[in-house]
Amino acid sequence: MDPLVIPILVAALVVVFLVAATVRIVPQARRYNIERFGRYRRTLQPGLNFVLPVADRVNTKLDVREQVYSSDPKPVITEDNLVVNIDTVLYYQITDPRAAAYEVADYLHAIDQLTVTTLRNVIGSMDLEGTLTSREEINARLRAVLDDATGKWGIRVNRVEIKAIDPPNTIKEAMEKQMRAERDKRAAILHAEGERQAKILTAEGTKQKDILEAQGTQQAMILRADGESKAVELVFQAVHRNNADAKVLAYKYLETLPDLARSDNNTFWVIPGELTEAIRTVTTAFGDRAAGTGPPPGARREDATDADAPDKDHVGAPEVEVNSTLALDAVAAADEAAKQAAVAVSDAKAEAEAAGEPRLPGRGPEPGG
């Protein structure tokens, strides 16, 4: 073996070692802190870097990307003396590798403890309701305190988020009952509002229906009254066109009296004062009808004049002679009409008494009177 081979191999190994100790390749988003004889020298940037072998060494390797740190739930006391467990999530980024390596021993532990103390200060000034509804305010105050404290450590806190706020179990049950009661209240209000709207709509519909029915009844009554008025007008015109005298009208008047007495709505019946006049008219009519076999027209006029003359003792009663056939017929007709009227009155009174309603005194004639 050649004696020069061994020295060449040793020299080659030394060269390889020196090259390996001199060249440092730093990955992207990484930073290396270099110490020379134990003292900070510089920070290597990403790429190919050269250092002194043996004299320089890499102290810390840091990742400068944004990182997430999730802490364990921490008990915090609120202003109303309730213990809640708060779990936070921290987003941070190393901006100064030298400060992060030499200004604080463990920046993650320091950030965690600073977060706990800041939370206790912030939550201690709020009650439970404010804690549950003021997450944005808590996050902003936490970020401001942490960013100010970690700036000298070469760390920038981008944002802090509260992941969970866990009150005690008893408080959770009370909150669930409160939420259930609130929802029941809202459901009852909505149900009552729906019923109110339904009743309003129903009332509006009933009102509109009553209005339309009233308008229809009004129109029907107007048309019925118009028809009755036209019928009365036609009857009136027919009566006047046929030149009906008072005798026919008096006879129709007497025919109507029994119908009036037989009405179901009448509890008493008043005989009008025109009854005597109607009887006299009918008597005169029957007298004129029987005059075909009686005395001459001149004598009939004289008898009528004498009959119309009132007596001092009997006002409104016709004066007739006893031996006159005409007078007997008239008297019989008058008596028959009076009897029919009396029978109608008696029937009306009997129906009124059968109905259980007493007859008012002084309002009608006695039966047969």
Side-chain angles (χ1 to χ4, degrees):
M1 184 177 180
D2 191 353
L4 296 177
V5 174
I6 295 176
I8 293 172
L9 292 177
V10 172
L13 291 176
V14 171
V15 171
V16 171
F17 174 76
L18 291 176
V19 170
T22 302
V23 177
R24 290 289 185 271
I25 299 175
V26 180
Q28 183 66 32
R30 300 290 193 280
R31 300 292 186 271
Y32 292 172
N33 290 325
I34 301 299
E35 293 180 352
R36 179 172 294 177
F37 299 112
R39 184 177 182 180
Y40 172 76
R41 177 66 181 174
R42 63 192 177 98
T43 300
L44 300 182
Q45 300 297 323
L48 182 63
N49 296 274
F50 297 96
V51 296
L52 292 178
V54 180
D56 295 341
R57 70 181 184 90
V58 178
N59 182 26
T60 53
K61 298 179 180 180
L62 300 176
D63 191 345
V64 296
R65 294 175 296 180
E66 185 176 10
Q67 302 182 48
V68 181
Y69 175 72
S70 178
S71 63
D72 297 331
K74 300 296 189 299
V76 180
I77 300 176
T78 61
E79 187 180 11
D80 47 358
N81 296 325
L82 291 176
V83 179
V84 294
N85 293 321
I86 299 180
D87 189 5
T88 58
V89 177
L90 179 68
Y91 296 87
Y92 70 95
Q93 185 177 11
I94 297 175
T95 58
D96 188 356
R98 186 195 65 81
Y102 297 101
E103 294 296 334
V104 62
D106 188 354
Y107 59 86
L108 286 180
H109 181 70
I111 291 175
D112 186 24
Q113 294 301 317
L114 183 61
T115 303
V116 173
T117 56
T118 306
L119 272 176
R120 289 174 178 172
N121 292 333
V122 174
I123 301 300
S125 60
M126 296 182 178
D127 56 2
L128 179 61
E129 190 71 22
T131 302
L132 295 174
T133 59
S134 304
R135 292 196 177 194
E136 293 296 332
E137 181 182 355
I138 297 173
N139 293 337
R141 293 175 65 177
L142 274 175
R143 182 181 180 281
V145 173
L146 291 175
D147 196 20
D148 182 65
T150 59
K152 63 181 180 180
W153 299 341
I155 297 173
R156 181 177 69 245
V157 177
N158 294 328
R159 58 186 180 274
V160 180
E161 298 292 340
I162 295 179
K163 186 167 61 175
I165 299 177
D166 296 329
N169 294 329
T170 57
I171 302 299
K172 287 182 179 180
E173 294 176 358
M175 292 172 61
E176 290 178 358
K177 292 180 180 179
Q178 180 182 2
M179 184 181 299
R180 189 179 301 110
E182 186 68 24
R183 292 183 181 277
D184 292 341
K185 174 185 174 183
R186 291 168 56 187
I189 291 175
L190 292 176
H191 182 68
E193 186 68 23
E195 289 185 350
R196 174 175 171 269
Q197 293 293 334
K199 289 181 179 179
I200 290 175
L201 294 177
T202 303
E204 289 290 338
T206 304
K207 174 184 174 183
Q208 193 68 21
K209 174 186 174 183
D210 293 341
I211 291 174
L212 293 177
E213 288 181 353
Q215 290 178 352
T217 304
Q218 179 187 12
Q219 293 294 330
M221 292 177 66
I222 291 174
L223 293 176
R224 191 180 298 111
D226 190 14
E228 290 178 357
S229 65
K230 290 183 178 179
V232 171
E233 182 179 358
L234 292 176
V235 172
F236 184 76
Q237 291 177 0
V239 170
H240 282 274
R241 186 167 55 249
N242 295 327
N243 195 16
D245 54 4
K247 302 170 185 178
V248 177
L249 298 178
Y251 180 74
K252 297 301 289 183
Y253 181 76
L254 290 176
E255 282 185 346
T256 309
L257 290 178
D259 295 334
L260 294 176
R262 283 194 296 270
S263 177
D264 295 335
N265 297 326
N266 292 338
T267 57
F268 62 90
W269 189 51
V270 179
I271 298 177
E274 293 85 355
L275 180 59
T276 307
E277 184 66 26
I279 294 173
R280 183 185 297 117
T281 304
V282 173
T283 303
T284 306
F286 278 101
D288 292 342
R289 187 176 301 170
T293 59
R300 285 204 302 265
R301 285 195 296 270
E302 291 177 359
D303 292 338
T305 304
D306 293 338
D308 292 338
D311 191 85
K312 294 180 180 180
D313 298 331
H314 304 282
V315 178
E319 181 178 356
V320 296
E321 294 182 1
V322 180
N323 296 325
S324 177
T325 303
L326 174 62
L328 290 176
D329 294 337
V331 171
D335 291 340
E336 183 65 24
K339 288 179 181 180
Q340 292 180 0
V343 170
V345 172
S346 299
D347 294 339
K349 290 171 63 177
E351 292 179 0
E353 292 176 357
E357 298 182 358
R359 180 181 58 84
L360 297 179
R363 300 301 300 272
E366 293 296 331

